[in-house]
Amino acid sequence: MQININPFESNPGWDFVKTIYNYYGLKDYVEFLYYDQFKKEKIREIEAYDFDNRQGDKIFWREIMSGDIIRGDKIRLKNFQISPWFPRKAGLYWTYEAAIARDQANRHHVEKRISKGCVYDVYGKTLMTELGGIGTVNFRKDRDFVLITATASGNTEEGIPIICRQNIWKDIEAEFQKGNRIEVDVQGTLVNINRDNDSFFLRSSSLPKVAVHVNSLLNIQLKASRLDINTTPWTIFETKDRWSPYGFTYVTHNIFQEEITDSKKWIIEYIETHNGKTILTDFDENINHLSAVFPLNDVTNGTILTKEILRYTQKILRDFEKGR
């Protein structure tokens, strides 16, 4: 007896095939196989560190800035760490202007040296954060596509934005929940980041807002690693100082060794000891840790409109004018 299956009709076998096809993202996987076989020169392969010890994050962003990598290009990253956090202003760290700002902070605005590095005054924190590219955020992970970061050094703000499907994130999350440090080989396509994940406080006008889109479970390979992952929760706060009415601060946070509550406590204590009062922004889309006026979740979901933020920035400008 001959059985004819019409793929356009629903039946258990075909539905199962479609489920497997979609779950593993086979279209994207097969596309990369094709490129490997016939167009290998069109895949931009970047090692975390090459033979000259050049950092892969730096190579990626320099090629983005020069236009050597553009939207639609195929990217393969090898031996990169994965951070569940995301750069506040992705790529800014690698600009010339950011390097100058960090150098100025280190030369003129160090308050004290500590075991993990140093503590800057409010001017130094502002140079490091707003101009120097330091600062990260934790976006919600319950969307269909999740924002995370690939980093060679383990420092999230230096890294390469990744957009991955929810099922890919679940595999990564399972390793983090076991306390495992991981690195990956990953391949995807360069895309523009959806404006839903944009906001006035996260935007860098000088750089394209792009990410490597990973759409197949078969296009990512998880491996064991021993490298820690550092993030930098940050905030903008209003001060009682007429001459410096607003400032930034942040703290380096190791996701494997430190509790976020300890980093939150450090930020609040810094604000209190530097004439701080109102906290304007928060760093986590899941929880408004700092009871901020503009919590990250409200900024990204549209509860707080851009015009409200712009109205507040006009107030900031007026306050600065008063202090002149």
Side-chain angles (χ1 to χ4, degrees), residues 263-297:
S263 294
K264 166 189 168 181
K265 181 181 176 183
W266 190 96
I267 288 174
I268 291 173
E269 288 178 352
Y270 182 93
I271 292 170
E272 289 174 348
T273 57
H274 289 78
N275 292 315
K277 48 178 185 177
T278 308
I279 297 176
L280 300 183
T281 61
D282 196 86
F283 50 82
D284 194 326
E285 200 178 4
N286 298 295
I287 302 171
N288 185 3
H289 292 279
L290 303 175
S291 301
V293 174
F294 299 116
L296 184 57
N297 183 59

Side-chain angles (χ1 to χ4, degrees), residues 106-107 110-120:
N106 282 303
R107 286 174 181 269
V110 174
E111 273 189 355
K112 60 181 178 180
R113 303 285 176 181
I114 57 175
S115 59
K116 291 168 60 175
C118 60
V119 177
Y120 300 96

Side-chain angles (χ1 to χ4, degrees), residues 292-295 297-309:
V293 174
F294 299 116
N297 183 59
D298 288 353
V299 170
T300 56
N301 69 19
T303 304
I304 296 175
L305 300 177
T306 301
K307 65 181 180 182
E308 294 178 51
I309 298 174

